[in-house]
């Protein structure tokens, strides 16, 4: 296929391919082979499954006569992996920015002379982008909002970052190999629902 395809987070592979196809057709750069390949994709039913990173790891194997074969990614798999990579990269960036902003607030609180234990300065971010205190192990029902998390929630720019962070992490933790154990998912802790 000879077509320029741009990865957009909000577009599926088929939507992005349609945009690229229409543009190439308008500009007169669409060759017969590419057009036929695109038509095959447009006529194919949409995939029934969500792509998962573990499904897209290149695999190889050995044949009976000692040769090797490799699983090559098709254009759809490359596109989906690029979308996942983009979201992971953004989540990592937000994680770092949140850590820096939180460290500044911690330093300000410590400089004020108030006494805080390390437990008082721990937090998590729920799926709504709210900062919540981290409960002691085995005492999850005894959590009350701390001064620290109250200050974090009052800072508008930090709340916006936390909401973006929660959205990005939630969009990738179920489709990546690392899942919730990824370093960028450190703060993410969705609330339990019954």
């Amino acid at each position: 296929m000879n077509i320029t395809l741009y990865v957009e987070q909000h577009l599926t592979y088929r939507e992005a391919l349609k945009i690229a196809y229409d543009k190439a057709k308008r500009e007169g750069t669409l060759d017969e082979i590419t057009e036929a390949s695109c038509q095959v994709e447009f006529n194919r039913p949409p995939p029934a499954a969500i792509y998962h990173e573990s499904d897209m790891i290149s695999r190889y194997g050995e044949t009976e006569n000692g040769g090797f074969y490799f699983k090559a990614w098709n254009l759809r798999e490359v596109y989906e992996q690029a979308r996942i990579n983009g979201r992971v990269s953004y989540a990592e960036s937000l994680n770092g920015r949140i850590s820096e902003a939180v460290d500044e607030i911690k330093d300000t609180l410590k400089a004020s002379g108030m006494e805080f234990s390390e437990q008082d300065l721990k937090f998590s971010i729920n799926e709504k982008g709210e900062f919540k205190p981290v409960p002691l192990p085995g005492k999850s029902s005894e959590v009350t909002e701390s001064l620290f998390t109250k200050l974090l929630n009052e800072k508008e720019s930090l709340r916006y970052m936390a909401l973006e962070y929660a959205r990005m992490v939630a969009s990738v933790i179920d489709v990546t190999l690392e899942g919730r154990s990824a370093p960028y998912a450190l703060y993410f802790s969705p609330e339990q629902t019954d």
Side-chain angles (χ1 to χ4, degrees):
M1 198 181 308
N2 186 14
I3 198 165
T4 303
L5 186 68
Y6 295 98
V7 176
E8 296 285 340
Q9 290 298 324
H10 64 284
L11 296 177
T12 65
Y13 168 72
R14 185 172 292 185
E15 292 167 338
L17 184 62
K18 179 72 172 132
I19 291 169
Y21 171 83
D22 290 342
K23 182 178 180 193
K25 197 167 188 173
R26 271 193 319 271
E27 295 173 353
T29 59
L30 190 64
D31 61 66
E32 291 175 16
I33 296 171
T34 302
E35 183 167 14
S37 297
C38 287
Q39 289 304 324
V40 166
E41 179 59 38
F42 298 146
N43 293 327
R44 183 179 295 159
I50 295 173
Y51 282 94
H52 191 281
E53 192 174 40
S54 64
D55 293 337
M56 293 188 281
I57 295 174
S58 294
R59 295 182 196 99
Y60 71 92
E62 195 170 333
T63 63
E64 293 174 7
N65 62 1
F68 287 94
Y69 64 89
F70 292 88
K71 175 194 178 282
W73 287 2
N74 62 33
L75 190 54
R76 178 187 298 274
E77 292 170 329
V78 170
Y79 183 85
E80 293 297 335
Q81 185 61 45
R83 285 179 66 195
I84 290 170
N85 291 347
R87 289 176 182 187
V88 165
S89 179
Y90 188 50
E92 289 171 340
S93 170
L94 287 169
N95 185 66
R97 290 171 43 206
I98 289 170
S99 292
E100 290 171 7
V102 166
D103 286 344
E104 288 177 17
I105 293 172
K106 282 181 182 179
D107 292 342
T108 303
L109 285 174
K110 288 177 181 177
S112 72
M114 295 178 73
E115 300 259 339
F116 291 99
S117 69
E118 279 303 310
Q119 184 65 33
D120 293 335
L121 299 177
K122 290 183 179 181
F123 67 93
S124 64
I125 299 173
N126 67 14
E127 68 278 1
K128 298 175 195 165
E130 299 169 335
F131 290 89
K132 297 289 184 181
V134 175
L136 290 169
K139 301 194 178 202
S140 60
S141 61
E142 299 177 20
V143 176
T144 57
E145 186 174 30
S146 67
L147 172 65
F148 179 59
T149 55
K150 187 175 179 185
L151 288 172
L152 295 176
N153 282 318
E154 287 176 354
K155 193 166 183 179
E156 187 78 26
S157 61
L158 193 54
R159 274 296 302 280
Y160 178 76
M161 258 194 294
L163 182 58
E164 285 293 304
Y165 168 81
R167 288 178 181 161
M168 276 303 113
V169 173
S171 74
V172 296
I173 57 173
D174 291 333
V175 296
T176 59
L177 292 172
E178 295 175 306
R180 291 185 189 274
S181 63
Y184 57 82
L186 174 68
Y187 302 130
F188 186 65
S189 180
E191 294 178 350
Q192 301 292 329
T193 56
D194 295 330

